[in-house]
Structure formats: structure tokens, C-alpha cells
Amino acid sequence: MLRIAICDDDSTDVKIIHDCLSATLFDVEDIQVSSYPNGKELINHLQEDPEGIDLLLLDIGMTPVDGMEAAGYIRDQKLDMDIIFITKSTEYVYQGYQYRAYAYILKDHLKMNLPEVLVRYVEELIHSEAYMNVSASGEMHRVPMSAIRYVESSGRKLILHLADEEISFYSKMSDIEDEMGRQGFVRIHQSYMVSKKYVRKLRKDAVVLEDMELPVSRRYAEQAKQMLS
């Protein structure tokens, strides 16, 4: 599922954007859309749920916190989120790209340009997304690497821990360690590899995820410190 947020203080523009999303991505991608009336409300949400948005459609001219301030917060916090600026003026276009914006769309051309940008974005996402193909309980599972919070070794099985499910299959950590490392996972223990994107804090003997802790063993402590700090 692609989690999309609209941050705009103009309800008419929000409806136009929402209609474009529904019409353009209905047959392409399963989407979930949320909206926020200004940057302050968006930041408040991100403080509670920093991993809840994949793509942000962000207006610039808002109060009390504008789009540039919101984008600055997102990049300062190193949140894994793509941004498309949607605004009335070209005034901030160069500043917008300093925040690694995927695109910059003028509202005057919204209905014409947004669908094209959305299709291109989803196509690039599909082709760039890395997956792990595993056989579990007699079925093949194609699991997006980005959805895996951590991997646990238990007996002769590995368990992929996702946000809302666990998938176990027969394998060894040594069989997947190199590939997982290339996808942003860090070995922290004989029994655990964790995705860097889900780590909120690193302690001497543990890493803190959003709602739990995983142990860091002495053997992997220095590696974890270097790769997660």
C-alpha cells in the first residue's frame, strides 16, 4: 500500500488533488490518503507517526507553518518520504529542490501535470523496489524489503517481522546477511538484523524501534554503532 498525504490549506485544491489520486492510481496502486490543513498539523502527526507517509503532496504558502518549514523538518529528521511540491508560485522552486523534491507542480497546471507525475512516480517505485521472495507454509511470498522491520533467527527458521504480520521460512541468517546489508539492514545480534529506517534510538546494549527494543550483543556492538549512529 502506498500511503499518501496531502498538506494544503485550500479545501478546493485538496479535493482536486484527491480526485487526481483516485482517478490516476485506482488501477495502478493500492493507496491510503490522509490530509492536513497546514505544516503544523503535519509535523504534529509526524512526531506521533514518523513512518506513516510514503509520498507527501505539499503546498508551500500556509500558516502557521508553511511547506518549506515542514519540508525542512522532514529532511532534518531524516524521514523516509518523497515530496511533491504543489503551489501557486515559482518563487520557491529552487529552494524546493534543495529538499530533494521529486517534482514541483504549479496549481494552474494541476489537473494536467499531476496525473503524469504520479504515474511516473509509481512506475519508478515499482521498478526500484527490492523484494525478498520466500516460501512459507507452502506458499510463495514476495515481501518488499522496505516493509521488513527486522529479521529474527529462531531455530532453523528466519522470521520476517513486518508492521502487521510475521512470515517464517527455513533459512539461515548467513544466507541472507550480505543481500540484506545492501538493502539497509544491520546485524546487531546472532539472532537479529534490523532495518535502519525503523531504528529510533541506539543504546549501548539495545536498539529502540517504534514500539519495542531489540538486544545488541557485544560481538556486533561496534558494527551497530558505526552503521546506526
Side-chain angles (χ1 to χ4, degrees), residues 125-142:
L125 193 66
I126 291 171
H127 288 100
S128 66
E129 176 73 280
Y131 291 86
M132 174 180 283
N133 297 311
V134 300
S135 176
S137 302
E139 296 182 352
M140 286 300 300
H141 295 258
R142 192 165 185 256

Side-chain angles (χ1 to χ4, degrees), residues 18-213:
H18 199 288
D19 289 346
C20 281
L21 289 169
S22 299
T24 306
L25 301 182
F26 178 79
D27 293 325
V28 180
E29 183 76 14
D30 185 19
I31 64 173
Q32 173 185 303
V33 182
S34 56
S35 61
Y36 305 91
N38 55 63
K40 185 176 187 299
E41 293 292 328
L42 173 66
I43 290 172
N44 288 342
H45 168 77
L46 292 174
Q47 289 172 340
E48 296 293 326
D49 183 13
E51 301 294 339
I53 298 173
D54 301 309
L55 173 63
L56 174 62
L57 304 177
L58 182 60
D59 186 21
I60 293 178
M62 301 178 289
T63 58
V65 175
D66 66 25
M68 287 300 168
E69 292 176 87
Y73 172 85
I74 289 165
R75 295 311 181 215
D76 288 345
Q77 297 299 311
K78 297 180 172 60
L79 303 186
D80 186 14
M81 183 188 314
D82 293 309
I83 298 173
I84 296 175
F85 282 111
I86 298 177
T87 188
K88 294 179 178 178
S89 170
T90 60
E91 179 182 358
Y92 299 101
V93 62
Y94 295 110
Q95 185 180 350
Y97 284 113
Q98 289 176 4
Y99 293 114
R100 304 193 304 280
Y102 180 80
Y104 190 106
I105 301 174
L106 291 175
K107 289 191 174 184
D108 287 345
H109 305 121
L110 191 56
K111 291 182 180 180
M112 179 176 63
N113 291 345
L114 181 56
E116 178 185 341
V117 170
L118 289 171
V119 169
R120 185 175 77 244
Y121 175 80
V122 171
E123 287 179 348
E124 291 179 7
L125 193 66
I126 291 171
H127 288 100
S128 66
E129 176 73 280
Y131 291 86
M132 174 180 283
N133 297 311
V134 300
S135 176
S137 302
E139 296 182 352
M140 286 300 300
H141 295 258
R142 192 165 185 256
V143 186
M145 290 284 197
S146 61
I148 304 171
R149 301 172 72 200
Y150 65 98
V151 184
E152 177 183 2
S153 175
S154 179
R156 295 188 298 123
K157 287 189 173 184
L158 296 180
I159 305 171
L160 305 181
H161 291 265
L162 284 65
D164 53 2
E165 67 174 320
E166 298 176 358
I167 300 173
S168 62
F169 59 102
Y170 289 99
S171 188
K172 297 180 294 184
M173 198 73 85
S174 58
D175 292 337
I176 68 166
E177 186 171 359
D178 288 345
E179 176 60 25
M180 298 295 278
R182 287 190 288 271
Q183 299 299 329
F185 287 76
V186 179
R187 188 76 177 265
I188 60 170
H189 190 278
Q190 186 68 22
S191 300
Y192 297 103
M193 287 191 76
V194 63
S195 172
K196 290 191 286 188
K197 67 179 285 187
Y198 291 105
V199 174
R200 302 272 74 82
K201 187 183 298 183
L202 174 64
R203 296 178 179 155
K204 183 177 181 180
D205 59 355
V207 292
V208 180
L209 279 67
E210 294 167 346
D211 54 358
M212 63 176 298
E213 293 186 6

